[in-house]
Amino acid sequence: MDLYGLKIARLHNGVYFSFIYNTVQVILFHCLALIILKNKGITIKILKNKMILSLLIILMMGILGTISYYTYLSYQKYITVQNSTEVPLFVEHVESVLDKIINERMQSAAYLVTHTKDDFTKLKESRINTDHDLLELDTFIKQYNQFTFYSKSIQHSTEALELVRRNVDDLHDSYRDIFLHAY
């Protein structure tokens, strides 16, 4: 696709990289013409003139700068797309952890009401699932540096969860406080 003299190439992941197609084509054509003319024995007096040579160098630097600028912009778009695909994965991990904590909360309530070994076994299983999802979330955060901001909050939440678990295991009489303030 040609847009304002720019050649747009679409990669397989949907990111657009733009290159100055026409400018590069003109430069290559002129270089080829100079080589052909020089091989035929024609002396190019343009390159001997310092003013024209300086102008040519400035023009080439401008073209190179423009190509570099558009390459940089394309890379920034690519990075933005990469980052935007990681956010839904982070949200998915957080939702999974919250679902497991809610399940653990329900199992804790059942255990505090009934005090049976069967409910305690179910509670232990839900705790294992919650810990597994918390570990996956921690691994994900360490893998992607943009989410390290949330690691302290998750660490504090994990410490609070451990305190609540100790209170549930000790069968405190203040189980209402556990559910109203802790979970």
Side-chain angles (χ1 to χ4, degrees):
M1 174 189 335
D2 213 7
L3 179 67
Y4 301 113
L6 300 175
K7 185 73 173 181
I8 306 293
R10 182 183 168 115
L11 296 180
H12 70 290
N13 60 357
V15 179
Y16 291 95
F17 284 98
S18 60
F19 300 98
I20 304 178
Y21 178 75
N22 293 338
T23 308
V24 173
Q25 187 178 14
V26 168
I27 291 171
L28 290 175
F29 176 76
H30 285 292
C31 288
L32 185 62
L34 286 175
I35 291 171
I36 291 171
L37 288 176
K38 201 168 196 177
N39 286 340
K40 289 189 175 187
I42 300 174
T43 311
I44 302 174
K45 294 183 181 181
I46 296 174
L47 293 178
K48 291 183 180 178
N49 189 345
K50 288 185 181 182
M51 182 72 156
I52 293 176
L53 183 62
S54 300
L55 185 63
L56 250 168
I57 290 174
I58 291 172
L59 180 67
M60 292 296 280
M61 288 175 57
I63 291 170
L64 182 64
T66 305
I67 290 172
S68 299
Y69 174 73
Y70 281 110
T71 304
Y72 173 76
L73 288 180
S74 297
Y75 180 72
Q76 290 301 322
K77 288 178 186 177
Y78 173 76
I79 293 297
T80 302
V81 169
Q82 285 293 91
N83 289 341
S84 67
T85 58
E86 293 163 359
V87 171
L89 292 174
F90 176 72
V91 171
E92 186 177 308
H93 281 289
V94 171
E95 284 179 349
S96 176
V97 167
L98 291 177
D99 287 341
K100 299 293 167 96
I101 290 174
I102 290 170
N103 187 26
E104 183 180 332
R105 181 181 184 197
M106 289 188 297
Q107 295 298 329
S108 296
Y111 173 67
L112 286 174
V113 171
T114 62
H115 300 294
T116 62
K117 288 187 178 189
D118 185 44
D119 286 334
F120 189 67
T121 305
K122 290 179 184 177
L123 177 59
K124 283 185 178 180
E125 289 175 11
S126 67
R127 286 179 180 176
I128 290 170
N129 292 336
T130 303
D131 290 339
H132 178 70
D133 278 9
L134 280 169
L135 184 63
E136 283 182 4
L137 180 62
D138 188 49
T139 304
F140 181 82
I141 288 174
K142 288 178 181 176
Q143 188 177 15
Y144 298 103
N145 292 334
Q146 68 192 32
F147 300 114
T148 55
F149 174 76
Y150 300 104
S151 65
K152 281 194 175 188
S153 299
I154 292 170
Q155 184 181 9
H156 290 302
S157 300
T158 305
E159 291 170 1
L161 184 62
E162 291 298 322
L163 177 66
V164 170
R165 287 176 176 175
R166 282 195 301 268
N167 289 338
V168 170
D169 290 343
D170 294 340
L171 294 174
H172 277 277
D173 293 331
S174 60
Y175 62 88
R176 288 185 182 137
D177 289 337
I178 292 173
F179 288 104
L180 294 177
H181 302 292
Y183 271 112

